[in-house]
Amino acid sequence: MNAPLALLAELTHRCPLRCPYCSNPVELTRASEELATGEWARVFREAAEIGCLQVHLSGGEPTARRDIVEITAAARAAGLYTNLITAGVLLDAALVARLQAAGLDHVQLSVQDADAAGAERIGGMRGAHARKEAAARLVRDAGLPLTLNAVVHRQNLHSLPRLVEIALEWGAARLEVAHVQYYGWALANRDALLPTRAQLDEATRTVQAARDAHRGRLVIDYVVPDYHAARPKACMGGWGNRFLAVAPSGRILPCHAAESIAGMAFPNVRETSLRAAWEDSDAFNRFRGTGWMREPCRGCEHAERDWGGCRCQAFALTGDAAATDPACALSPDRALLLAAVAEAGTTEFRYREFG
């Protein structure tokens, strides 16, 4: 059993944006149910004790927490590298300075589109794009490393060349071009978000050209959608293999989307330790390794490379988390994925709503 390398700390589901591809569950945790500052401090200490090297402070919007500075300081005190995953719309110079003094190491800033109109339509918040640009400037002026995260899909892929330019103009050292993955709110909006194969191929060409043009200046990570794949990716490096997440409610998860699998019970930090959850819980051991696999995954030469693909995606498409991921061409349920691709095309969003 490997030690986890990274912890995703989902501090809150609260967020001023309403992005229709949000990876949070459709049923959001209320503020009254969120872990308190001291509980997060204990989580960070336990994470470091079992081998975690870094923590990603996420949400929702993590800066919606009034104690975000204290939470950041607790993560640093535990010896963890701290990365703030933020929409940036609540950042100001004073908060950036306090976060930096508390030990913040890195900022990942999301963008919804390359222009204000497109960003406001997707994110559902007026003025958000300008606030993000201002936030990038504050982060850069503070000397903190900046990654720009561009979630791309059917309705903004035409903006990808400009998004690369924005990453350079805003001073990012890294750009994540992340195609939407279809869980939670994104699954509810799949028909409006899923790109065509032609769009995907053009995006891939754009990314490769940008990598060649800006090598040494901008690192570009690229995450493609499984719906156009012939073989699944090793989701999160394998279930319970290198990664764990803690939800705002305290539930300990093998991946950020695991709560989308109906019928699974997950341990909670209010009742158990991270070590016990990682090593002994049914939730983490259920799909760990290869022993749980059925045909055609069982005995497949790729079994210890892709680990059977994504359990959340298998459940979303088939209703069975133990099924072969339909992203695999050998899956008996492959037709479900192909049908979803064929049916996509609406332009209407179902926006993320809190409460």
Side-chain angles (χ1 to χ4, degrees):
M1 185 184 301
N2 292 319
L5 295 178
L7 166 68
L8 177 67
E10 295 185 314
L11 305 180
T12 181
H13 284 158
R14 289 172 284 153
C15 183
L17 272 67
R18 304 165 57 211
C19 301
Y21 54 75
C22 183
S23 62
N24 289 155
V26 175
E27 295 296 327
L28 301 172
T29 300
R30 296 185 177 277
S32 60
E33 301 169 342
E34 295 171 0
L35 294 181
T37 316
E39 290 175 309
W40 278 116
R42 176 172 55 81
V43 167
F44 298 148
R45 292 193 297 271
E46 291 183 2
E49 288 169 1
I50 62 173
C52 282
L53 302 177
Q54 54 189 272
V55 60
H56 303 284
L57 304 173
S58 182
E61 172 49 51
T63 59
R65 295 262 319 212
R66 294 182 179 179
D67 57 352
I68 184 60
V69 174
E70 291 76 15
I71 286 175
T72 303
R76 167 50 69 90
L80 300 172
Y81 181 92
T82 57
N83 174 37
L84 180 70
I85 301 177
T86 178
V89 295
L90 302 181
L91 286 177
D92 57 28
L95 181 54
V96 170
R98 292 175 64 213
L99 288 168
Q100 186 174 28
L104 184 63
D105 292 300
H106 181 273
V107 175
Q108 177 180 307
L109 178 67
S110 66
V111 288
Q112 280 65 49
D113 207 339
D115 62 76
E120 289 176 7
R121 176 176 178 265
I122 295 167
M125 178 181 177
R126 296 187 63 181
H129 193 69
R131 293 189 187 187
K132 290 172 181 289
E133 183 175 7
R137 188 180 308 112
L138 291 171
V139 171
R140 185 182 65 231
D141 290 347
L144 288 166
L146 174 65
T147 291
L148 213 61
N149 173 252
V151 179
V152 294
H153 46 82
R154 175 183 287 262
Q155 300 196 41
N156 71 356
L157 272 169
H158 62 278
S159 300
L160 184 52
R162 177 60 186 145
L163 286 167
V164 174
E165 294 176 358
I166 286 175
L168 293 165
E169 292 169 5
W170 290 10
R174 182 180 295 271
L175 170 65
E176 292 183 356
V177 178
H179 284 266
V180 169
Q181 306 297 303
Y182 296 97
Y183 325 105
W185 290 90
L187 183 62
N189 283 288
R190 185 177 62 190
D191 287 350
L193 296 169
L194 187 64
T196 65
R197 182 56 189 256
Q199 283 182 302
L200 173 60
D201 290 344
E202 179 60 26
T204 302
R205 287 190 290 268
T206 298
V207 167
Q208 189 54 57
R211 282 172 169 168
D212 293 340
H214 305 298
R215 183 170 285 111
R217 185 181 176 192
L218 181 67
V219 175
I220 303 179
D221 297 326
Y222 188 47
V223 180
V224 298
D226 291 344
Y227 279 61
H228 291 290
R231 193 165 301 284
K233 63 178 179 291
C235 187
M236 309 309 296
W239 181 279
N241 192 34
R242 286 298 194 186
F243 176 90
L244 77 164
V246 175
S249 63
R251 282 187 287 273
I252 310 168
L253 310 171
C255 80
H256 63 283
E259 287 181 287
S260 66
I261 302 177
M264 282 199 72
F266 297 99
N268 194 294
V269 298
R270 288 172 169 148
E271 301 164 355
T272 190
S273 68
L274 288 191
R275 182 179 297 278
W278 180 260
E279 296 179 354
D280 303 322
S281 70
D282 175 71
F284 276 81
N285 285 314
R286 178 83 62 90
F287 302 117
R288 182 176 263 149
T290 60
W292 59 272
M293 292 180 178
R294 308 169 183 164
E295 298 290 346
C297 294
R298 183 181 295 273
C300 175
E301 63 178 313
H302 299 282
E304 293 190 16
R305 290 182 230 163
D306 60 33
W307 303 106
C310 178
R311 298 302 88 218
C312 302
Q313 185 161 269
F315 180 82
L317 287 166
T318 73
D320 181 1
T324 298
D325 186 342
C328 180
L330 300 177
S331 167
D333 299 304
R334 177 74 171 178
L336 296 172
L337 183 145
L338 298 179
V341 173
E343 293 166 5
T346 182
T347 59
E348 296 301 317
F349 289 141
R350 176 188 172 191
Y351 286 98
R352 176 190 189 273
E353 299 287 354
F354 190 83

